[in-house]
């Protein structure tokens, strides 16, 4: 059996000029891979006072919990990709945050692929009951340099007044593929934060959609490190449905060597989303001539009483800044790294595990300082 | 519930533009588009063979290309029902008094000859498919400035036209520009010789009077090294119940060190599909400045492109779009930085009201060799009610690291805080709202030629209406 990707991926909500090639991504690759059982342990299961954690691919009916997703049909990287993840998953967690309860310890979910278990199809569902609160850290990594394939979905249903924070770290090897579809339904007064670290893979295609109801809040903080021949296609969509909803989007990245990136960020103010605010910011630091950076920041609006803003910027590290730091004894690479860290740190600091933060900082150091020196 | 008042902005007063003149013509092509019609147009214009061949080639391309899959829906536009060529009942005149009374009246109403007397170095007026009047001040002609209609240019300056015609915008660019290549008629040709500064603007005015017709004027402007020109283009048409099509093409060539300012005030009637293509090629240290006001038409798709080909070339785009009831105005700007040390600056404002759709669609491309380029894009949208729609669809495409790019966009409505602040300073509420809307369009208005700025201020007349928001 093989895995084939035929669909157009990460379609932008409204099409634009075709010659720019940003309307969708076409991969057209056939991977000689087989979907098998994933044996490794990736999360602690259990039914606690404040949370229930189980596995989605175990046979038990989720229907009574997942009613909230019924209205929202379209989401994710593409139909085909989502169908694969929904129907052929070999891993994934189901978490039920109990009403009014707070989970103090962040919940860790660790997926690690290797040459044996090289295909991960994970379906993750988080249901946050009214006024519950929890943080999840989901880590995708590979052991060794074998090509791995990951396709996952994450569905978050945040009921009234709940507060869910999801941190996703992708640091798979340079030969791998990563497809990641995320959807959140944020009910009245609830808040969902999505923090994303995209550091690895040959190709990473990610998609996040948040549906904001009355007085809800949705935040996206993302950092990416595109180097070598990496290709990133990152899509974020803030769908303001309810009144007084708030969204923030902050995406920061580095492009180096021959890396390519397309950032697609949409704020959509639907009719009825009066008094809502949406903010979007993308900033990319360019290291080399041979990079390719595309940004498509969309602002769609059918409601007048809203406040929407987006900003995108791109450029090199300022020469004066660099010169100053080098005059203080830093090497060029170290100085560049410090400037990148200064940009990334506010987002890295949102990760609640020192261990994970350390891994990320080390990765930045390796890629921007060590590998350049070598 | 908060009780809110909303600013009511009146529709543009179209009474002058909507005067229909009796439709008289000396020749009208059949509806639809065939090689026969294209040949016929070419024969009637007495064109050289190369132009006939060019038209037929474009027709071929037109038949092969598909309608864009993005942007506004064009299903209602049935090209087989558009008359491509309408020749008014007169020949070209160089003296205003010889222009037939009814056509003259139309332009008098629009204030064209008066403007010529006052503030223009030259005027061209096109009525349906043909230019009916062209004039240039003598001292300009003495300095070697050429300002004439396109047909005359094809006959009298064959070398220049053959060299440049549809090279900046080739017919295979998109379907409507291919259509233009096949059936183009009228338009202006301007050549400003090296070092000549045309201090007062030239103006061409395009008036479409025939119902269900297309207007396909071609404008070619060459500003030679170190020269300067300000060109003003005005467009209008009365409203008919059938759809009209405007698929003009503007090609601008700005040579080394030259500067061209190209101003457009477009006020087509609300049955017009305005699918216009404009492009400038800017050579070393040259500057193109676009001023663009889009007020009319049913559907507009207009994205003037600046191709910065020479080192140090500059582009500036200043645009305002006002979409009212039944209008979809999909406008914006495209810039391609194709040389080092190039700069571009895009600044747009849009207002949508009463069900109107205003879209900013643009692109900014930096090619690998365009190092040290700088670009800024700023788009602001004002929504006056929640029946309307306003979208911002920009793309930034960078293939080089030594760049400095900034893009920002904002959307919203008049904030109650600003009104409150102004009122606390003793300004009446009506005046405060008026001030804010005027302030919103001011950066654009001040770039317009005076008579247009006055016109725009009249167009955006403020009135207040108490409503519950």
């Amino acid at each position: 059996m093989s895995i084939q990707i035929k669909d157009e991926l990460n379609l932008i909500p409204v099409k634009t000029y075709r010659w720019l090639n940003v309307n969708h991504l076409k991969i057209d690759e056939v991977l000689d891979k087989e979907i098998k059982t994933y044996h490794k342990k990736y999360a602690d299961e259990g039914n606690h006072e404040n949370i229930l954690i189980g596995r989605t691919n175990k046979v038990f009916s989720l229907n009574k919990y997942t009613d909230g997703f019924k209205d929202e049909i379209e989401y994710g990287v593409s139909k085909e990709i989502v169908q694969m993840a929904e129907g052929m998953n070999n891993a994934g967690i189901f978490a039920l945050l109990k009403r009014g309860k707070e989970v103090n310890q962040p919940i860790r979910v660790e997926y690690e692929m290797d040459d044996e278990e090289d295909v991960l199809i994970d379906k993750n569902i988080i249901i946050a009951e009214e006024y519950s609160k929890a943080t999840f850290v989901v880590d995708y990594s590979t052991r060794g340099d074998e090509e791995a394939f990951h396709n996952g979905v994450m569905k978050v249903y945040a009921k009234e007044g709940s507060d869910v924070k999801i941190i996703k770290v992708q640091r798979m090897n340079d030969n791998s593929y990563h497809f990641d579809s995320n959807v959140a339904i944020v009910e009245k007064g609830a808040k969902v934060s999505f923090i994303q670290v995209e550091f690895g893979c040959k190709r990473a295609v990610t998609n996040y959609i948040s549906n904001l109801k009355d007085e809800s809040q949705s935040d996206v903080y993302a950092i990416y490190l595109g180097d070598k021949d990496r290709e990133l296609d990152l899509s974020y969509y803030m769908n303001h449905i309810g009144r007084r909803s708030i969204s923030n989007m902050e995406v920061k990245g580095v492009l180096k060597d021959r890396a390519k990136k397309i950032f697609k960020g949409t704020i959509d103010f639907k009719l009825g989303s009066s008094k809502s605010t949406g903010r979007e910011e993308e900033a990319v630091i360019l290291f080399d001539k041979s990079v390719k950076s595309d940004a498509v920041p969309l602002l769609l609006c059918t409601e007048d009483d809203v406040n929407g803003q987006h900003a995108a910027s791109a450029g090199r590290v300022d020469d004066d800044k660099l010169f100053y730091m080098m005059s203080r004894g830093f090497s060029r690479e170290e100085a560049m790294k410090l400037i990148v860290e200064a940009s990334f740190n506010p987002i890295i600091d949102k990760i609640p595990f020192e261990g994970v933060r350390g891994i990320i900082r080390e990765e930045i150091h390796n890629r921007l300082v060590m590998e350049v020196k070598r | 519930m908060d009780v809110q008042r909303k600013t009511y902005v009146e529709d543009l007063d179209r009474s002058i533009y909507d005067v229909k003149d009796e439709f008289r013509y000396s020749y009208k092509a059949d509806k639809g588009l065939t090689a026969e019609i294209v040949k016929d147009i070419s024969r009637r214009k007495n064109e050289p063979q190369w132009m006939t061949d060019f038209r037929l080639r474009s027709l071929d391309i037109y038949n092969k290309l598909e309608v864009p899959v993005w942007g506004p829906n064009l299903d209602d536009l049935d090209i087989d029902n558009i008359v491509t060529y309408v020749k008014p009942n007169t020949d070209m005149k160089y003296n205003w008094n010889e222009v037939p009374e009814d056509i003259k009246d139309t332009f008098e109403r629009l204030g064209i000859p008066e403007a010529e007397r006052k503030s223009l170095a030259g005027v061209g007026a096109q009525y349906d498919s043909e230019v009916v009047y062209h004039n240039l001040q003598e001292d300009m002609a003495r300095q070697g400035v050429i300002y004439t209609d396109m047909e005359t240019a094809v006959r009298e300056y064959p070398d220049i036209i053959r060299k440049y015609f549809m090279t900046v915008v080739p017919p295979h660019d998109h379907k409507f520009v291919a259509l233009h290549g096949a059936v183009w008629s009228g338009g202006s040709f301007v050549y400003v010789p090296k070092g000549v500064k045309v201090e007062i603007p030239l103006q061409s005015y395009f008036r479409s009077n025939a119902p269900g017709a297309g207007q396909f004027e071609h404008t070619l402007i060459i500003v030679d090294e170190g020269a300067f020109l300000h060109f003003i283009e005005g467009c209008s048409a009365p409203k008919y119940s059938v759809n009209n099509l405007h698929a003009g093409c503007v090609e601008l060539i700005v040579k080394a060190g030259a500067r061209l300012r190209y101003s457009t005030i477009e006020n087509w009637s609300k049955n017009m599909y305005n699918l216009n293509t404009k492009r400038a090629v800017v050579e070393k240290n040259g500057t193109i400045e676009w001023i663009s006001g889009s007020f009319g038409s049913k559907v507009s798709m207009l994205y003037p492109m600046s191709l910065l080909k020479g080192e140090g070339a500059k582009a500036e785009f200043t645009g305002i779009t006002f979409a009212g009831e039944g209008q979809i105005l999909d406008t914006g700007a495209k810039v391609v930085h194709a040389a080092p040390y190039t700069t571009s600056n895009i600044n747009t404002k849009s207002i949508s009201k009463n069900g109107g759709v205003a879209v900013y669609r643009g692109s900014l491309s930096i090619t690998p060799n365009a190092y040290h380029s700088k670009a800024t894009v700023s788009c602001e949208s004002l929504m006056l009610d929640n029946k309307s729609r306003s979208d911002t669809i920009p793309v930034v495409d960078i293939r080089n690291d030594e760049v400095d790019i900034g893009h920002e966009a904002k959307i919203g409505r008049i904030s109650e805080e600003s009104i409150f602040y102004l009122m606390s300073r003793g300004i009446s509420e009506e005046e405060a709202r008026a001030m804010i809307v005027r302030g919103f369009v001011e950066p654009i208005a001040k770039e317009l030629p005076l008579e247009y700025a006055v016109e725009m201020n009249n167009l955006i007349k403020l009135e207040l209406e108490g409503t519950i928001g």
Side-chain angles (χ1 to χ4, degrees), chain A residues 269-271 300-304, chain B residues 383 386-390:
Chain A
F269 293 107
K270 292 275 161 69
L271 188 62
L300 311 177
C301 185
T302 44
E303 172 61 55
D304 65 323
Chain B
M383 298 264 292
N386 60 8
K387 286 190 285 181
S388 310
R389 179 171 185 97
S390 178

Side-chain angles (χ1 to χ4, degrees), chain A residues 82-228:
Chain A
V82 168
Q83 270 168 9
M84 185 198 297
E86 290 264 14
M88 294 188 264
N89 52 309
N90 60 12
I93 62 151
F94 169 74
L96 179 70
L97 281 59
K98 295 184 182 171
R99 194 187 154 91
K101 296 285 197 286
E102 185 174 332
V103 184
N104 294 319
Q105 276 299 315
I107 295 136
R108 290 192 77 155
V109 184
E110 287 171 328
Y111 297 110
E112 189 196 61
M113 286 145 269
D114 54 35
D115 54 349
E116 279 295 305
E117 307 202 55
D118 59 349
V119 176
L120 171 72
I121 316 281
D122 58 324
K123 174 180 176 181
N124 305 286
I125 293 171
I126 296 170
I127 310 283
E129 295 286 1
E130 287 85 353
Y131 302 97
S132 60
K133 185 177 178 182
T135 298
F136 294 82
V137 180
V138 187
D139 185 23
Y140 298 97
S141 66
T142 43
R143 184 187 287 271
D145 285 332
E146 287 298 311
E147 173 190 284
F149 176 86
H150 163 242
N151 176 11
V153 294
M154 162 83 78
K155 295 157 87 168
V156 181
Y157 186 36
K159 295 191 187 172
E160 190 175 327
S162 62
D163 184 343
V164 183
K165 197 185 214 181
I166 291 149
I167 295 147
K168 280 201 157 184
V169 181
Q170 184 272 110
R171 49 189 180 95
M172 294 160 65
N173 68 39
D174 296 347
N175 303 314
S176 297
Y177 292 79
H178 173 64
F179 299 91
D180 201 32
S181 307
N182 304 278
V183 57
I185 293 156
V186 195
E187 291 287 354
K188 189 173 177 179
K191 180 180 172 185
V192 172
S193 311
F194 184 71
I195 295 148
Q196 190 187 20
V197 179
E198 280 297 329
F199 272 19
C201 277
K202 177 165 129 193
R203 271 181 184 281
V205 187
T206 75
N207 190 294
Y208 176 79
I209 297 178
S210 188
N211 299 288
L212 292 105
K213 308 277 177 80
D214 285 358
E215 289 156 47
S216 65
Q217 181 172 345
S218 193
D219 297 335
V220 164
Y221 299 100
I223 53 174
Y224 59 85
L225 186 50
D227 57 350
K228 296 171 222 169

